[in-house]
Structures are given as C-alpha cells and as structure tokens.
Amino acid sequence: METALQLVDMTRLTADLPRAAEAYGSAQPFPHIVLDDVLHQPAFASAVAGFPGIDDAFWKAYAHVNETKYSNTQPDTWADSLQAVAREFCSPEFVAYLEELTGISDLIPDYTMDGGGLHMTKRGGHLNIHADFSTHHTHENWARRINILLYLNEEWHDDWGGKLELWDQQMTACQGTVTPAGNRMLVFTTSGDSFHGHPDGLTCPPDMARRSLAMYYFTEEESAVRKATNYQARPEETRTRKAAIAADRTVLDVYDRVKRRLGISDEAAHKVLGSLSRLRKRK
C-alpha cells in the first residue's frame, strides 16, 4: 500500500494494520476501532485553527427532540486546511487502508458530505442513540458501510460530557464509550443496529463546543435498502421521553421521504421540526 499522503500519518497507520484489522473485526458491540494521532501534528493544528467559529454563518442547526447540533456540509466554505484533510480521506491510499482495516471491498468515498461534514455541538447539545441512515440521498443505490469521525477539539475534559456511547443491538446496555479527544478517529461499520450517540447535554463552557469531521464510505448495490435514521431511547428513559423520541423519529422519516419527492428545503423542514420540539417540551 502506498503512503504518499502528506497530512494523514499513513506510515504509522499501515504499520499497525494487521493488529488493527483483527481488533476491528472482533470489537463489540459492533466492528469499530479508535485510532489516535491520525493526522501529523502540524496538520491537526492547522485543521483546528481552520475550524469554523461558533457563530459562523454556514452552520446549519439541527434542533429537535433527537439532536441539537450544527453541521456544515459544504466543503467549498471550509478553510483550506480542512478541505485538504477531507481530500486525503477520499484518496485511493486512505480508502485502500479502510478496506483492509474493515474487510469491506470497493468502498466509495463521498466528498459531497452526504450526512457527514463538519459537526459542532454547543453546551447543552446532544445526539440521541441511533443507527445511521442506510443509503446516500443522491445515489440511492449506494449503501452506507463505513463511518469515520475525526475529533477536532483542541482540548476536551471528561466532566464536559460528550463521550460517544456504543450500545448493543438490543439497546439493553452501553458497551463502550469514546472520548472526543483531539486527533482521535473512530472508524465503525454502519449497519441497522450500530447504535451510537451522546444523548446527555454537554456541560462544556459556553465558548467551547464538541467539534468533529464525519465522513461516510459506500458500496454500490443493485438494490440498496433505504432505512431512516433509527433513533432509540435508553432503557432508563421515562415513558414520556421514549414516546417523544419515537414520534420525532417518525416525523424525520416522513420529512425525508417528502423532501426527496417534492424538493422541500432543509430550512423549511428544520422550522417545522423545531416547532414540534418546542410543543413537546411544553407538554
């Protein structure tokens, strides 16, 4: 495998590949691995410096029962340092590495950031436990197979919360957590029951945020099965909370189907979802 990339430390990653691939395949509750120091340190520092500010105009808010976070899925608005990292994650060298790591062949990278991109969660924000949407929104015969999350926090304290929880298929217990430490990458197989999220509100300072770059990799299938994002309640949630999570999940699925068919904008849908969320909070 070639290691011509300038930003990603492919020499170190490939040297550890036999061990990492074995660990990935045997990991519980679903195939995954945590990789530290993925970028060379100067590249990581540049990516952190280029990450958009909390009030950047290109953030799109997702504010409803199941999540309160912000995303930017437009790489042409990103700093050059972040665009360069994303391009390396789409490179043949890095994709070949992911194929060997995960055992999944013919992976297709996606620089359009469908479902991915830059993510930011502020104080109080959360992301309920879920399994990801199963197909690409434009290429409907592309099935989501791999998710990578590169954390771009210059610092992160445990008492701020925000650890990503990994849950078992039956949603009976959390099987592991991942602290969003800077330059740490989580790689995992995207499936109908790879449940993950950080459902408790962050307690970081108001001027701080949980920051990451998310990207998906796909395989082309003759008939990819579309499944909406499957949000789940934890066992200890109240009955009212479980009902709200389920209702919001249904609204999101209907919205996605209608958006595809009628071309409704995300901005209009977000207003509806936000209104529903506020109504539920009053009940």
Side-chain angles (χ1 to χ4, degrees):
M1 182 186 299
E2 297 181 9
T3 57
L5 302 186
Q6 301 298 310
L7 307 179
V8 179
D9 190 352
M10 291 300 300
T11 299
R12 189 180 59 78
L13 290 178
T14 54
D16 189 47
L17 189 51
R19 180 208 65 82
E22 182 177 355
Y24 185 94
S26 61
Q28 296 296 326
F30 46 80
H32 74 276
I33 195 166
V34 176
L35 305 169
D36 285 317
D37 301 319
V38 170
L39 302 180
H40 292 294
Q41 188 56 39
F44 172 68
S46 294
V48 168
F51 200 90
I54 286 178
D55 298 319
D56 188 88
F58 286 94
W59 286 122
K60 179 185 293 182
Y62 291 79
H64 50 94
V65 170
N66 279 307
E67 62 182 332
T68 48
K69 69 175 186 180
Y70 297 80
S71 74
N72 180 328
T73 59
Q74 304 175 53
D76 60 330
T77 69
W78 302 358
D80 291 345
S81 58
L82 289 164
Q83 292 185 41
V85 169
R87 284 194 294 269
E88 289 208 356
F89 287 157
C90 291
S91 68
E93 295 87 352
F94 189 76
V95 173
Y97 166 78
L98 286 180
E99 290 176 340
E100 289 197 39
L101 175 67
T102 65
I104 300 174
S105 302
D106 301 319
L107 289 175
I108 303 169
D110 180 36
Y111 193 75
T112 70
M113 304 297 160
D114 183 72
L118 301 181
H119 290 164
M120 176 185 70
T121 307
K122 300 180 183 180
R123 179 183 178 90
H126 76 294
L127 175 62
N128 280 344
I129 306 300
H130 66 283
D132 292 312
F133 198 96
S134 63
T135 59
H136 195 284
H137 285 78
T138 304
H139 306 282
E140 295 188 15
N141 62 332
W142 286 14
R144 282 182 177 173
R145 302 300 301 279
I146 298 297
N147 188 1
I148 67 171
L149 297 170
L150 176 68
Y151 295 110
L152 294 169
N153 303 301
E154 192 168 19
E155 64 174 309
W156 195 262
H157 301 172
D158 280 345
D159 59 0
W160 293 353
K163 289 184 178 180
L164 194 75
E165 299 180 4
L166 311 180
W167 281 71
D168 62 14
Q169 297 176 357
Q170 293 75 36
M171 280 298 299
T172 59
C174 176
Q175 299 292 315
T177 61
V178 181
T179 299
N183 211 6
R184 171 172 289 171
M185 176 181 284
L186 171 66
V187 183
F188 67 93
T189 296
T190 300
S191 66
D193 50 23
S194 54
F195 294 118
H196 61 285
H198 54 98
D200 297 316
L202 300 185
T203 57
C204 57
D207 61 341
M208 301 291 290
R210 186 181 187 275
R211 313 192 303 181
S212 62
L213 166 62
M215 294 184 66
Y216 288 97
Y217 299 78
F218 302 79
T219 56
E220 189 170 359
E221 309 290 339
E222 286 189 10
S223 55
V225 177
R226 177 202 176 278
K227 293 183 179 179
T229 303
N230 185 7
Y231 291 101
Q232 295 286 312
R234 293 174 293 179
E236 66 269 23
E237 306 278 10
T238 65
R239 183 177 300 179
T240 300
R241 179 68 176 166
K242 289 178 179 178
I245 289 171
D248 191 64
R249 179 178 64 223
T250 300
V251 169
L252 289 168
D253 184 27
V254 171
Y255 146 67
D256 185 79
R257 292 175 185 273
V258 172
K259 184 184 76 168
R260 285 179 182 233
R261 180 163 297 187
L262 301 180
I264 296 174
S265 71
D266 282 330
E267 287 73 15
H270 293 161
K271 290 180 181 178
V272 174
L273 291 169
S275 297
L276 289 172
S277 178
R278 288 189 292 273
L279 284 172
R280 292 192 186 104
K281 287 178 181 178
R282 294 192 190 111
K283 291 181 178 180

